[in-house]
Each structure stands twice: as C-alpha cells, then as structure tokens.
Coordinates of all heavy atoms in Angstrom, one line a residue:
M1 N 0.9 -1.2 0.0 CA 0.0 0.0 0.0 C 0.9 1.3 0.0 O 1.9 1.3 0.7 CB -0.9 0.0 1.2 CG -1.9 1.2 1.3 SD -2.9 1.2 2.8 CE -3.8 -0.2 2.7
D2 N 0.5 2.2 -0.8 CA 1.3 3.5 -0.9 C 1.2 4.2 0.4 O 0.1 4.3 1.1 CB 0.8 4.4 -2.0 CG 1.1 3.8 -3.4 OD1 2.1 3.0 -3.4 OD2 0.4 4.1 -4.3
E3 N 2.2 4.9 0.8 CA 2.2 5.7 2.0 C 1.6 7.1 1.7 O 1.9 7.7 0.7 CB 3.7 6.0 2.5 CG 3.8 6.7 3.8 CD 5.2 6.8 4.2 OE1 6.1 6.2 3.6 OE2 5.5 7.5 5.2
I4 N 0.7 7.5 2.5 CA 0.1 8.8 2.4 C 0.7 9.8 3.3 O 0.7 9.6 4.5 CB -1.5 8.7 2.6 CG1 -2.1 7.8 1.6 CG2 -2.1 10.1 2.5 CD1 -3.5 7.4 1.8
K5 N 1.2 10.9 2.8 CA 1.8 11.9 3.7 C 0.9 13.2 3.6 O 0.5 13.6 2.5 CB 3.2 12.2 3.3 CG 4.2 11.1 3.6 CD 5.6 11.5 3.3 CE 6.5 10.3 3.7 NZ 7.9 10.6 3.4
F6 N 0.8 13.9 4.7 CA 0.1 15.2 4.6 C 0.8 16.1 5.6 O 1.4 15.7 6.6 CB -1.4 15.1 4.9 CG -1.7 14.7 6.3 CD1 -2.0 15.6 7.3 CD2 -1.7 13.3 6.7 CE1 -2.3 15.2 8.5 CE2 -2.0 12.9 8.0 CZ -2.3 13.9 8.9
N7 N 0.7 17.4 5.4 CA 1.3 18.4 6.2 C 0.2 19.0 7.1 O -0.5 19.9 6.6 CB 2.0 19.4 5.4 CG 2.8 20.4 6.2 OD1 2.5 20.6 7.4 ND2 3.8 21.0 5.7
L8 N 0.1 18.6 8.3 CA -1.0 19.1 9.2 C -0.9 20.6 9.3 O -1.9 21.3 9.4 CB -0.9 18.5 10.6 CG -2.1 18.8 11.5 CD1 -3.3 18.0 11.0 CD2 -1.7 18.4 12.9
K9 N 0.3 21.2 9.3 CA 0.4 22.6 9.5 C -0.2 23.4 8.4 O -0.7 24.6 8.6 CB 1.9 23.0 9.6 CG 2.5 22.7 10.9 CD 3.9 23.2 11.1 CE 4.5 22.8 12.4 NZ 5.9 23.2 12.6
K10 N -0.3 22.8 7.2 CA -1.0 23.5 6.1 C -2.5 23.4 6.2 O -3.2 24.2 5.5 CB -0.5 22.9 4.7 CG 0.9 23.4 4.4 CD 1.2 22.9 3.0 CE 2.6 23.3 2.6 NZ 3.0 22.8 1.3
L11 N -3.0 22.5 7.0 CA -4.4 22.3 7.1 C -5.0 22.9 8.3 O -6.3 22.9 8.5 CB -4.7 20.8 7.1 CG -4.2 20.0 5.9 CD1 -4.5 18.5 6.1 CD2 -4.9 20.5 4.6
T12 N -4.2 23.4 9.2 CA -4.7 23.8 10.5 C -4.0 25.1 10.9 O -3.0 25.5 10.3 CB -4.4 22.8 11.6 OG1 -3.0 22.6 11.7 CG2 -5.1 21.5 11.3
H13 N -4.5 25.7 11.9 CA -3.7 26.8 12.6 C -4.1 26.7 14.1 O -5.1 26.0 14.5 CB -3.9 28.2 12.0 CG -5.3 28.8 12.4 ND1 -6.4 28.6 11.6 CD2 -5.7 29.5 13.5 CE1 -7.4 29.3 12.1 NE2 -7.0 29.8 13.3
R14 N -3.3 27.3 14.9 CA -3.5 27.3 16.3 C -4.1 28.7 16.7 O -3.6 29.7 16.4 CB -2.2 27.2 17.1 CG -1.5 25.9 16.8 CD -1.9 24.8 17.7 NE -1.4 23.5 17.1 CZ -1.6 22.3 17.6 NH1 -2.3 22.2 18.7 NH2 -1.2 21.2 17.1
A15 N -5.3 28.6 17.2 CA -6.0 29.9 17.7 C -5.2 30.5 18.8 O -4.7 29.8 19.7 CB -7.4 29.6 18.1
K16 N -5.2 31.8 18.8 CA -4.5 32.5 19.9 C -5.2 32.4 21.2 O -6.5 32.2 21.2 CB -4.3 34.0 19.6 CG -3.3 34.3 18.5 CD -3.0 35.8 18.5 CE -1.8 36.0 17.5 NZ -2.3 36.1 16.1
G17 N -4.5 32.4 22.3 CA -5.2 32.3 23.6 C -4.6 31.2 24.4 O -4.0 30.2 23.8
D18 N -4.8 31.3 25.7 CA -4.3 30.2 26.6 C -5.3 29.0 26.6 O -6.4 29.1 27.0 CB -4.2 30.8 28.0 CG -3.6 29.8 29.0 OD1 -3.2 28.7 28.6 OD2 -3.5 30.2 30.2
T19 N -4.8 27.9 26.2 CA -5.6 26.7 26.1 C -5.8 26.1 27.5 O -6.8 25.4 27.7 CB -4.9 25.6 25.3 OG1 -3.7 25.2 26.0 CG2 -4.6 26.0 23.9
G20 N -5.0 26.5 28.5 CA -5.0 25.8 29.8 C -4.5 24.4 29.6 O -4.2 24.0 28.5
D21 N -4.4 23.7 30.7 CA -3.9 22.4 30.7 C -5.1 21.5 30.3 O -6.0 21.2 31.2 CB -3.3 21.9 32.0 CG -1.8 22.1 32.1 OD1 -1.2 21.9 31.0 OD2 -1.3 22.4 33.1
F22 N -5.1 21.0 29.1 CA -6.3 20.2 28.7 C -6.0 18.7 28.7 O -6.9 17.9 28.5 CB -6.8 20.6 27.3 CG -5.8 20.6 26.2 CD1 -5.7 19.5 25.4 CD2 -5.0 21.7 26.0 CE1 -4.8 19.4 24.3 CE2 -4.0 21.6 24.9 CZ -4.0 20.5 24.1
I23 N -4.8 18.3 29.1 CA -4.5 16.9 29.3 C -3.8 16.8 30.6 O -2.8 17.5 30.9 CB -3.6 16.2 28.2 CG1 -4.3 16.4 26.9 CG2 -3.3 14.8 28.5 CD1 -3.4 15.8 25.7
T24 N -4.2 15.9 31.5 CA -3.5 15.7 32.8 C -3.4 14.2 33.0 O -4.2 13.4 32.5 CB -4.3 16.3 34.0 OG1 -5.6 15.8 34.0 CG2 -4.2 17.8 33.9
L25 N -2.3 13.8 33.7 CA -2.0 12.4 34.0 C -2.1 12.2 35.5 O -1.5 12.9 36.3 CB -0.6 12.1 33.5 CG 0.0 10.7 33.9 CD1 -0.8 9.6 33.2 CD2 1.4 10.7 33.6
N26 N -2.8 11.1 35.9 CA -2.8 10.7 37.3 C -1.7 9.6 37.4 O -1.9 8.5 37.0 CB -4.1 10.1 37.6 CG -4.2 9.6 39.0 OD1 -3.1 9.4 39.7 ND2 -5.4 9.3 39.5
E27 N -0.5 10.0 37.8 CA 0.6 9.1 37.9 C 0.4 7.9 38.7 O 0.9 6.8 38.4 CB 1.9 9.8 38.4 CG 2.7 10.5 37.3 CD 4.1 10.7 37.6 OE1 4.6 10.2 38.7 OE2 4.8 11.5 36.9
E28 N -0.4 8.0 39.8 CA -0.6 6.9 40.7 C -1.4 5.8 39.9 O -1.3 4.6 40.2 CB -1.4 7.3 41.9 CG -0.5 8.0 42.9 CD -1.2 8.3 44.2 OE1 -2.2 7.6 44.5 OE2 -0.6 9.1 45.0
A29 N -2.3 6.2 39.0 CA -3.2 5.3 38.3 C -2.4 4.6 37.2 O -2.7 3.5 36.7 CB -4.4 6.0 37.8
C30 N -1.4 5.3 36.6 CA -0.6 4.8 35.5 C 0.2 3.5 35.8 O 0.9 3.5 36.8 CB 0.3 5.9 35.0 SG 1.4 5.3 33.6
N31 N 0.1 2.5 35.0 CA 0.9 1.3 35.2 C 2.0 1.1 34.2 O 2.6 0.1 34.1 CB -0.1 0.0 35.2 CG -0.7 -0.2 33.8 OD1 -0.4 0.5 32.9 ND2 -1.5 -1.2 33.8
G32 N 2.2 2.2 33.4 CA 3.3 2.1 32.5 C 3.1 1.2 31.3 O 4.1 0.7 30.7
C33 N 1.9 0.9 30.9 CA 1.6 -0.1 29.8 C 2.1 0.4 28.5 O 2.4 -0.4 27.6 CB 0.1 -0.4 29.8 SG -0.9 1.0 29.1
G34 N 2.3 1.7 28.3 CA 2.8 2.3 27.0 C 1.8 2.5 25.9 O 2.2 2.9 24.8
M35 N 0.5 2.2 26.2 CA -0.4 2.3 25.1 C -0.6 3.8 24.6 O -0.8 4.0 23.5 CB -1.8 1.7 25.5 CG -1.8 0.2 25.7 SD -1.3 -0.6 24.2 CE -2.7 -0.4 23.2
C36 N -0.5 4.7 25.5 CA -0.7 6.1 25.1 C 0.5 6.5 24.2 O 0.3 7.2 23.2 CB -0.7 7.0 26.4 SG 0.7 6.8 27.5
E37 N 1.7 6.0 24.5 CA 2.8 6.3 23.6 C 2.6 5.7 22.2 O 2.9 6.3 21.2 CB 4.1 5.7 24.3 CG 5.4 6.0 23.5 CD 6.6 5.4 24.1 OE1 6.5 4.5 24.9 OE2 7.7 6.0 23.9
L38 N 2.1 4.5 22.2 CA 1.9 3.8 21.0 C 0.8 4.5 20.1 O 1.0 4.5 18.9 CB 1.4 2.3 21.3 CG 1.3 1.4 20.1 CD1 2.7 1.0 19.6 CD2 0.5 0.1 20.6
V39 N -0.2 5.0 20.7 CA -1.3 5.5 19.9 C -1.2 7.0 19.5 O -1.9 7.4 18.6 CB -2.6 5.3 20.7 CG1 -2.8 6.3 21.8 CG2 -3.8 5.2 19.8
C40 N -0.3 7.7 20.1 CA -0.2 9.2 19.9 C 0.5 9.5 18.6 O 1.7 9.3 18.5 CB 0.5 9.9 21.1 SG 0.6 11.6 20.8
A41 N -0.2 9.9 17.6 CA 0.4 10.3 16.3 C 1.3 11.4 16.4 O 2.1 11.6 15.5 CB -0.8 10.5 15.3
A42 N 1.2 12.2 17.4 CA 2.1 13.4 17.6 C 3.3 13.1 18.4 O 4.1 14.0 18.7 CB 1.3 14.5 18.2
T43 N 3.5 11.8 18.8 CA 4.6 11.3 19.6 C 4.8 12.2 20.9 O 6.0 12.6 21.1 CB 5.9 11.2 18.8 OG1 6.3 12.4 18.3 CG2 5.7 10.2 17.6
L44 N 3.8 12.5 21.6 CA 3.9 13.4 22.7 C 4.0 12.6 24.1 O 4.3 13.2 25.1 CB 2.7 14.3 22.8 CG 2.5 15.2 21.6 CD1 1.3 16.1 21.7 CD2 3.8 16.1 21.5
W45 N 3.8 11.3 24.0 CA 3.9 10.5 25.2 C 5.2 9.7 25.2 O 5.6 9.2 24.1 CB 2.7 9.5 25.4 CG 1.5 10.2 25.7 CD1 0.5 10.6 24.8 CD2 1.0 10.7 27.0 NE1 -0.6 11.2 25.5 CE2 -0.3 11.3 26.8 CE3 1.5 10.6 28.3 CZ2 -1.0 11.8 27.9 CZ3 0.8 11.1 29.4 CH2 -0.4 11.7 29.2
S46 N 5.9 9.5 26.3 CA 7.0 8.7 26.5 C 6.9 8.0 27.8 O 6.1 8.3 28.6 CB 8.3 9.5 26.3 OG 8.4 10.5 27.3
M47 N 7.8 7.0 28.0 CA 7.8 6.3 29.3 C 9.1 6.6 30.1 O 10.2 6.7 29.5 CB 7.7 4.8 29.1 CG 6.5 4.3 28.4 SD 5.0 4.6 29.4 CE 4.0 5.4 28.2
K48 N 8.9 6.9 31.3 CA 10.1 7.2 32.2 C 9.8 6.7 33.6 O 8.8 7.0 34.2 CB 10.3 8.7 32.3 CG 11.6 9.1 32.9 CD 11.8 10.6 32.8 CE 13.2 11.0 33.3 NZ 13.5 12.4 33.2
G49 N 10.7 5.8 34.0 CA 10.6 5.2 35.3 C 9.3 4.4 35.5 O 8.7 4.4 36.6
G50 N 8.9 3.8 34.4 CA 7.7 3.0 34.5 C 6.4 3.7 34.5 O 5.3 3.2 34.8
K51 N 6.5 5.0 34.2 CA 5.3 5.9 34.2 C 5.2 6.7 32.8 O 6.3 6.9 32.3 CB 5.2 6.9 35.3 CG 5.2 6.3 36.7 CD 3.9 5.7 37.0 CE 3.9 5.1 38.4 NZ 2.6 4.5 38.8
A52 N 4.0 7.0 32.4 CA 3.9 7.8 31.2 C 4.3 9.2 31.5 O 4.2 9.7 32.6 CB 2.4 7.8 30.8
R53 N 4.9 9.9 30.5 CA 5.3 11.3 30.6 C 4.8 12.0 29.4 O 5.1 11.6 28.2 CB 6.8 11.3 30.7 CG 7.4 12.7 30.8 CD 8.9 12.7 31.0 NE 9.5 14.0 31.0 CZ 9.8 14.7 29.9 NH1 9.5 14.2 28.8 NH2 10.3 15.9 30.1
L54 N 4.1 13.1 29.6 CA 3.6 13.9 28.5 C 4.6 15.1 28.2 O 5.1 15.7 29.1 CB 2.3 14.5 28.9 CG 1.5 15.4 27.9 CD1 1.2 14.6 26.6 CD2 0.2 15.9 28.5
A55 N 4.9 15.3 26.9 CA 5.8 16.3 26.5 C 5.4 17.7 27.0 O 4.2 18.0 26.9 CB 5.9 16.4 25.0
P56 N 6.3 18.4 27.6 CA 6.0 19.7 28.2 C 5.3 20.7 27.2 O 4.5 21.5 27.6 CB 7.3 20.2 28.6 CG 8.2 19.0 28.8 CD 7.7 18.0 27.8
R57 N 5.7 20.5 25.9 CA 5.1 21.4 24.9 C 3.8 20.9 24.2 O 3.4 21.3 23.1 CB 6.1 21.7 23.8 CG 7.3 22.5 24.2 CD 8.3 22.7 23.1 NE 7.7 23.4 21.9 CZ 8.0 23.1 20.7 NH1 9.0 22.2 20.4 NH2 7.5 23.8 19.7
Y58 N 3.1 20.0 24.9 CA 2.0 19.3 24.3 C 0.9 20.3 23.9 O 0.2 20.1 22.9 CB 1.4 18.3 25.2 CG 0.4 18.8 26.3 CD1 -0.9 18.9 26.0 CD2 0.9 19.2 27.5 CE1 -1.8 19.4 26.9 CE2 0.0 19.7 28.5 CZ -1.3 19.8 28.2 OH -2.2 20.3 29.1
R59 N 0.8 21.4 24.6 CA -0.3 22.4 24.3 C -0.2 22.9 22.9 O -1.2 23.2 22.3 CB -0.2 23.6 25.3 CG -0.6 23.3 26.7 CD -0.6 24.6 27.4 NE -0.8 24.5 28.9 CZ -1.0 25.5 29.7 NH1 -1.1 26.7 29.2 NH2 -1.2 25.3 30.9
E60 N 1.0 23.1 22.4 CA 1.2 23.6 21.0 C 1.4 22.6 20.0 O 1.4 22.9 18.8 CB 2.4 24.6 21.0 CG 3.7 24.0 21.5 CD 4.7 25.1 21.8 OE1 5.3 25.6 20.9 OE2 4.9 25.3 23.0
L61 N 1.5 21.3 20.4 CA 1.8 20.2 19.4 C 0.7 19.2 19.3 O 0.6 18.4 18.3 CB 3.1 19.5 19.8 CG 4.3 20.4 19.8 CD1 5.5 19.6 20.4 CD2 4.7 20.9 18.4
C62 N -0.2 19.1 20.3 CA -1.2 18.1 20.3 C -2.3 18.2 19.2 O -2.7 19.3 18.9 CB -1.9 18.2 21.7 SG -3.3 17.0 21.9
F63 N -2.7 17.1 18.7 CA -3.7 17.1 17.6 C -5.1 17.1 18.2 O -6.1 17.2 17.4 CB -3.6 15.8 16.7 CG -2.3 15.7 16.0 CD1 -1.9 14.5 15.6 CD2 -1.5 16.8 15.7 CE1 -0.7 14.3 14.9 CE2 -0.3 16.7 15.0 CZ 0.1 15.5 14.6
E64 N -5.2 17.0 19.5 CA -6.5 17.1 20.2 C -7.4 15.9 19.7 O -8.7 16.1 19.6 CB -7.2 18.4 20.1 CG -6.4 19.6 20.6 CD -6.9 20.9 20.3 OE1 -8.1 21.1 19.9 OE2 -6.1 21.9 20.4
C65 N -6.8 14.8 19.5 CA -7.6 13.6 19.0 C -8.2 12.8 20.1 O -9.1 12.0 19.9 CB -6.7 12.8 18.1 SG -5.4 11.9 19.1
A66 N -7.7 13.0 21.3 CA -8.2 12.2 22.5 C -7.9 10.7 22.5 O -8.4 10.0 23.3 CB -9.7 12.5 22.8
A67 N -7.1 10.3 21.6 CA -6.8 8.8 21.5 C -6.1 8.3 22.8 O -6.3 7.2 23.2 CB -5.9 8.6 20.3
C68 N -5.2 9.1 23.4 CA -4.6 8.7 24.6 C -5.6 8.5 25.7 O -5.5 7.6 26.5 CB -3.5 9.7 25.0 SG -4.1 11.4 25.1
W69 N -6.5 9.4 25.8 CA -7.5 9.3 26.8 C -8.4 8.1 26.6 O -8.7 7.3 27.5 CB -8.4 10.6 26.8 CG -9.7 10.5 27.5 CD1 -9.8 10.7 28.9 CD2 -11.0 10.3 27.0 NE1 -11.2 10.5 29.2 CE2 -11.9 10.3 28.0 CE3 -11.5 10.0 25.7 CZ2 -13.3 10.1 27.9 CZ3 -12.8 9.8 25.5 CH2 -13.7 9.9 26.6
E70 N -8.7 7.8 25.3 CA -9.6 6.7 24.9 C -8.9 5.4 25.2 O -9.5 4.4 25.7 CB -9.9 6.8 23.5 CG -10.8 5.7 22.9 CD -12.2 5.7 23.5 OE1 -12.7 6.9 23.7 OE2 -12.8 4.7 23.6
I71 N -7.6 5.3 25.0 CA -6.9 4.0 25.0 C -6.5 3.6 26.5 O -6.3 2.4 26.7 CB -5.6 4.0 24.1 CG1 -5.2 2.6 23.8 CG2 -4.5 4.8 24.8 CD1 -5.9 2.0 22.6
C72 N -6.5 4.5 27.3 CA -5.9 4.3 28.7 C -6.9 3.5 29.5 O -7.9 4.1 30.0 CB -5.5 5.6 29.4 SG -4.8 5.2 31.0
E73 N -6.7 2.2 29.7 CA -7.6 1.4 30.5 C -7.6 1.7 32.0 O -8.5 1.3 32.7 CB -7.3 -0.1 30.2 CG -7.5 -0.6 28.8 CD -7.4 -2.1 28.6 OE1 -6.8 -2.7 29.5 OE2 -7.8 -2.5 27.6
R74 N -6.6 2.3 32.4 CA -6.5 2.7 33.8 C -7.2 4.0 34.2 O -7.2 4.5 35.3 CB -5.0 2.8 34.3 CG -4.2 1.5 34.1 CD -4.4 0.5 35.1 NE -4.0 1.1 36.4 CZ -4.0 0.4 37.6 NH1 -4.5 -0.8 37.6 NH2 -3.6 1.0 38.7
E75 N -7.7 4.7 33.1 CA -8.3 6.0 33.2 C -7.3 7.0 34.0 O -7.8 7.8 34.8 CB -9.6 5.9 33.9 CG -10.6 5.1 33.1 CD -12.0 5.1 33.7 OE1 -12.2 5.6 34.8 OE2 -12.9 4.5 33.1
A76 N -6.1 6.9 33.6 CA -5.0 7.7 34.2 C -4.9 9.1 33.5 O -4.3 10.0 34.0 CB -3.7 7.0 34.2
I77 N -5.5 9.1 32.3 CA -5.4 10.3 31.5 C -6.7 11.1 31.5 O -7.7 10.4 31.2 CB -4.9 10.0 30.0 CG1 -3.5 9.4 30.1 CG2 -5.0 11.3 29.2 CD1 -3.1 8.9 28.7
D78 N -6.7 12.3 31.8 CA -7.9 13.1 31.6 C -7.7 14.1 30.4 O -6.6 14.7 30.3 CB -8.1 13.9 32.9 CG -9.4 14.7 32.8 OD1 -10.5 14.1 32.5 OD2 -9.4 15.9 33.0
F79 N -8.6 14.1 29.5 CA -8.6 15.0 28.3 C -9.9 15.8 28.2 O -11.0 15.2 28.4 CB -8.4 14.1 27.1 CG -8.5 14.9 25.8 CD1 -7.4 15.5 25.2 CD2 -9.7 15.1 25.2 CE1 -7.5 16.2 24.1 CE2 -9.9 15.9 24.0 CZ -8.7 16.4 23.5
H80 N -9.8 17.0 28.0 CA -10.9 17.8 27.5 C -10.4 18.8 26.5 O -9.2 19.1 26.5 CB -11.6 18.5 28.7 CG -10.7 19.4 29.5 ND1 -9.9 19.1 30.6 CD2 -10.3 20.7 29.2 CE1 -9.2 20.1 31.0 NE2 -9.5 21.1 30.2
Y81 N -11.3 19.3 25.7 CA -10.9 20.2 24.7 C -10.4 21.5 25.3 O -10.9 21.9 26.4 CB -12.0 20.5 23.6 CG -12.2 19.3 22.8 CD1 -13.4 18.5 22.9 CD2 -11.3 18.9 21.8 CE1 -13.6 17.3 22.2 CE2 -11.5 17.7 21.1 CZ -12.6 17.0 21.2 OH -12.8 15.8 20.5
P82 N -9.5 22.2 24.6 CA -8.9 23.4 25.2 C -10.0 24.5 25.4 O -11.1 24.4 24.9 CB -8.0 23.9 24.1 CG -7.6 22.7 23.4 CD -8.8 21.8 23.4
A83 N -9.7 25.4 26.3 CA -10.6 26.5 26.6 C -11.2 27.1 25.4 O -10.5 27.2 24.3 CB -9.9 27.5 27.5
G84 N -12.5 27.5 25.4 CA -13.2 27.9 24.3 C -12.5 28.9 23.3 O -11.9 29.9 23.8
G85 N -12.5 28.5 22.1 CA -11.9 29.4 21.0 C -10.4 29.2 20.9 O -9.8 29.8 20.0
T86 N -9.7 28.4 21.7 CA -8.3 28.2 21.6 C -8.0 26.8 21.1 O -8.8 26.0 21.0 CB -7.6 28.4 23.0 OG1 -8.0 27.4 23.9 CG2 -8.0 29.8 23.6
G87 N -6.7 26.6 20.8 CA -6.3 25.3 20.4 C -6.3 25.1 18.9 O -6.2 26.1 18.1
L88 N -6.3 23.9 18.4 CA -6.2 23.5 17.0 C -7.5 23.8 16.3 O -8.6 23.5 16.7 CB -5.9 22.0 16.9 CG -5.5 21.5 15.6 CD1 -4.1 21.9 15.3 CD2 -5.6 20.0 15.5
V89 N -7.3 24.5 15.1 CA -8.4 24.8 14.2 C -8.2 24.1 12.9 O -7.2 24.4 12.2 CB -8.6 26.3 14.0 CG1 -9.7 26.6 13.1 CG2 -8.8 27.0 15.3
I90 N -9.1 23.3 12.4 CA -9.0 22.6 11.1 C -9.6 23.5 10.1 O -10.8 23.9 10.2 CB -9.8 21.3 11.1 CG1 -9.4 20.4 12.3 CG2 -9.6 20.5 9.8 CD1 -8.1 19.8 12.3
E91 N -8.8 23.9 9.1 CA -9.3 24.9 8.1 C -9.9 24.2 6.8 O -10.6 24.8 6.1 CB -8.1 25.8 7.7 CG -7.7 26.6 8.9 CD -6.5 27.5 8.6 OE1 -5.6 27.0 7.9 OE2 -6.5 28.7 9.0
Y92 N -9.5 23.0 6.5 CA -9.9 22.4 5.3 C -10.4 20.9 5.6 O -9.9 20.3 6.6 CB -8.8 22.3 4.3 CG -8.3 23.6 3.9 CD1 -7.1 24.1 4.5 CD2 -8.9 24.5 3.0 CE1 -6.5 25.3 4.2 CE2 -8.4 25.7 2.7 CZ -7.2 26.1 3.3 OH -6.7 27.3 3.0
G93 N -11.3 20.4 4.8 CA -11.6 19.0 5.0 C -12.8 18.8 5.9 O -13.3 19.7 6.5
Ligands
SF4_101 S1 -2.1 4.2 28.6 FE1 -2.5 4.9 30.7 S2 -1.7 3.4 32.1 FE2 -0.8 3.0 30.1 S3 1.2 4.2 30.2 FE3 -0.4 5.6 29.3 S4 -1.2 6.7 31.1 FE4 -0.1 4.9 31.9
SF4_102 S1 -4.9 14.0 22.3 FE1 -4.0 12.8 20.5 S2 -2.3 14.0 19.8 FE2 -2.8 14.8 21.8 S3 -1.5 13.7 23.3 FE3 -3.4 12.5 23.1 S4 -3.0 11.0 21.5 FE4 -1.5 12.6 21.3

C-alpha cells in the first residue's frame, strides 16, 4: 500500500489564547503499559521510570484527537478540549 503523507500545518492553525492544561495524568493510576505512547500520532507520550510522561510542549503540538484518553484502560489520562476558542483549528476538509 502506498504511503500517504500530509502536512498538518498547512491544514490547520492554532488559535491565539491560553488553552489551559487540557491533558492531565494521574501518575498513581498509570501502570506504564505504554499504550498512550503507541497511539499518539504526535509522539507526545514517552515512558520514564515505569510511568507515562507527556511532552511539556503538548499544548502547542497536540492534535486534540483524545486517542490517549480513549486507550488508557487505567483512566489515568484526563482529556478535555482546550478552553473555548483556543487550540487547534481545522481549516480544510
Ligand atoms: S495508557 Fe494509561 S496506564 Fe498506560 S502508560 Fe499511558 S497513562 Fe499509563
Ligand atoms: S490527544 Fe491525541 S495527539 Fe494529543 S497527546 Fe493525546 S493521542 Fe497525542
């Protein structure tokens, strides 16, 4: 199958304004299974010391797809969309 590439930056922009922290991790609940790292297309999750770690710059890099929240069986990840009017804006499609 042919590989399909697209440039997300050309299809989106980031609205101005403070998104607030829209993803949080409950480290006590995390068992280090690595599923969030596996599923994140933006490669914002990594594992450190047996726990998930979210990239500090996630606010400006996250696709807001909520896949990490959906996949976490321990419900260690909390996701909600950024504060009204901020965050990722899809311009086409
Ligand atoms: S999917 Fe959940 S339990 Fe697994 S590493 Fe990520 S945060 Fe931790
Ligand atoms: S919402 Fe999507 S892009 Fe953002 S950290 Fe979670 S899996 Fe990655």
